[in-house]
Amino acid sequence: MAEISTRYLRFADTEARSRSPLYEELARAVAGDRETLGFLSTLPDVKRQPNLLLAVVRHLFGTPTGWTEFRQALLAHPELVRSLMLERSTQTNEPGRCATLLPVLARLPQPLALLEVGTSAGLCLMPDLYSYDYGRTVLRTPVTASEPPVFRCSASETTPLPTAPPHVVWRAGLDLSPIDVSNPSQVAWLETLVWPEQTARLANLRAALMIAATVKPRVVKGDLRGSDLVRLCSEAPKDATLVVFHTAVLDYVSDPADREAFAEQVMRLSPYWVSNEFPRVFPSIATRAGKSWPPGRFLLSVNGSPVAWTDPHGASLEWITDVNSAEAERTSFR
């Protein structure tokens, strides 16, 4: 229970703080409540994560006003909460992350064939169909039947902001449990995964879902550690630059050896591997980004070279220029 408590405190300090006052409050309270920690200790480790517990309680009983209401709902219906936590997973399909991927994708040899692992509903497979506001640069997509979301991202001065979206000619995703955007129940779960106070983020998610319902990006059920990835890579058009990418996915592959094996396989299969994960996922890459890791930030890397520190929901981007910049230019953007 001490380990679970530490996990919830870390979530409150590094992820929820300044982003969701309610989630910060609830996570801190869970960390100090023996009954709730006892409940969590009966679940498999992968099912103890804060995002999952908080989303399931909201999904079942609505957004609580505070800790007292949250705790009462959980302890009054523990089996109902347990059942849904075992059934669901935190497939937070955050299309706002495209704002942090775009500066990389736009610099690669065009056109692109995008293959995303852990794609959920495939919303991050459509970076060319969204609009972006970086403050000093605004990119707008052509008018379509569905009004595109506008993702606002605060980018550092050294970030090479794109002047045009990437040219995507092929896109496919791989996921253990794909989300069907035509299924109201699955869409409702995706919406619940958006944190309570983040109304703009929810509006952008809904706009992206409308585009996905029209475009219908191809999403294949399969495991990133098996032959499914090899098969999908082989289907990409040969006259396009294949890019295999993922955001907030490899943290759920618990064995570091499996993560490294995946990275090695991707580097064999594709000329470009783009990773956007917590730095702990690939420590060997993170150590090359400097000794100090910004708390609560993802590390964006290309072919194993650190490129930028990013907000987990795509709200900010800090380009890495003083560490390995020459190497990144030479090896990652050849």
Side-chain angles (χ1 to χ4, degrees), residues 129-145:
L129 304 180
Y130 303 142
S131 295
Y132 304 89
D133 184 350
Y134 293 101
R136 63 186 188 276
T137 298
V138 177
L139 270 71
R140 298 209 177 266
T141 61
V143 176
T144 58

Side-chain angles (χ1 to χ4, degrees), residues 98-113:
C98 289
T100 55
L101 297 174
L102 207 70
V104 166
L105 298 178
R107 299 178 75 197
L108 301 181
Q110 307 291 309
L112 303 182

Side-chain angles (χ1 to χ4, degrees), residues 48-299:
R48 297 172 182 171
Q49 62 190 114
N51 268 327
L52 183 59
L53 173 66
L54 299 174
V56 162
V57 172
R58 285 180 63 216
H59 196 68
L60 290 171
F61 311 112
T63 301
T65 56
W67 167 241
T68 300
E69 186 178 329
F70 179 92
R71 187 176 187 272
Q72 287 175 347
L74 169 61
L75 297 183
H77 307 279
E79 291 309 314
L80 192 59
V81 174
R82 182 195 314 278
S83 176
L84 192 57
M85 288 183 74
L86 292 174
E87 175 189 344
R88 298 287 192 177
S89 59
T90 54
Q91 294 173 286
T92 308
N93 204 180
E94 178 47 66
R97 292 170 181 152
C98 289
T100 55
L101 297 174
L102 207 70
V104 166
L105 298 178
R107 299 178 75 197
L108 301 181
Q110 307 291 309
L112 303 182
L114 298 182
L115 200 169
E116 183 186 19
V117 296
T119 194
S120 188
L123 302 188
C124 287
L125 278 170
M126 305 182 295
D128 53 323
L129 304 180
Y130 303 142
S131 295
Y132 304 89
D133 184 350
Y134 293 101
R136 63 186 188 276
T137 298
V138 177
L139 270 71
R140 298 209 177 266
T141 61
V143 176
T144 58
S146 298
E147 184 68 24
V150 179
F151 297 117
R152 290 171 171 81
C153 178
S154 174
S156 63
E157 289 294 327
T158 56
T159 303
L161 294 177
T163 56
H167 180 202
V168 181
V169 295
W170 183 89
R171 63 192 97 218
L174 184 67
D175 199 281
L176 281 173
S177 301
I179 294 288
D180 181 359
V181 296
S182 67
N183 184 314
S185 174
Q186 294 188 26
V187 168
W189 173 245
L190 273 188
E191 293 182 353
T192 305
L193 290 171
V194 176
W195 297 0
E197 301 89 347
Q198 299 176 338
T199 53
R201 186 179 161 211
L202 179 59
N204 278 335
L205 173 69
R206 287 171 173 165
L209 285 166
M210 289 184 67
I211 295 175
T214 301
V215 175
K216 296 181 173 60
R218 182 185 176 201
V219 179
V220 176
K221 183 174 182 177
D223 195 325
L224 60 85
R225 291 167 290 190
S227 60
D228 302 298
L229 178 61
V230 178
R231 178 172 52 81
L232 268 182
C233 285
S234 69
E235 294 179 15
K238 304 306 179 187
D239 56 350
T241 301
L242 176 60
V243 183
V244 176
F245 72 100
H246 51 88
T247 67
V249 171
L250 269 292
D251 209 18
Y252 298 103
V253 178
S254 57
D255 189 342
D258 284 345
R259 295 197 293 263
E260 292 297 333
F262 164 79
E264 291 174 5
Q265 182 184 45
V266 172
M267 292 286 279
R268 291 193 301 268
L269 293 171
S270 173
Y272 291 100
W273 164 47
V274 178
S275 168
N276 191 35
E277 303 278 354
F278 280 118
R280 62 176 176 262
V281 170
F282 291 108
S284 60
I285 298 176
T287 54
R288 298 157 64 190
K291 295 181 180 179
S292 177
W293 302 348
R297 290 292 184 267
F298 285 173
L299 178 60

Side-chain angles (χ1 to χ4, degrees), residues 303-316:
N303 291 348
S305 291
V307 171
W309 295 106
T310 69
D311 176 81
H313 298 149
S316 66

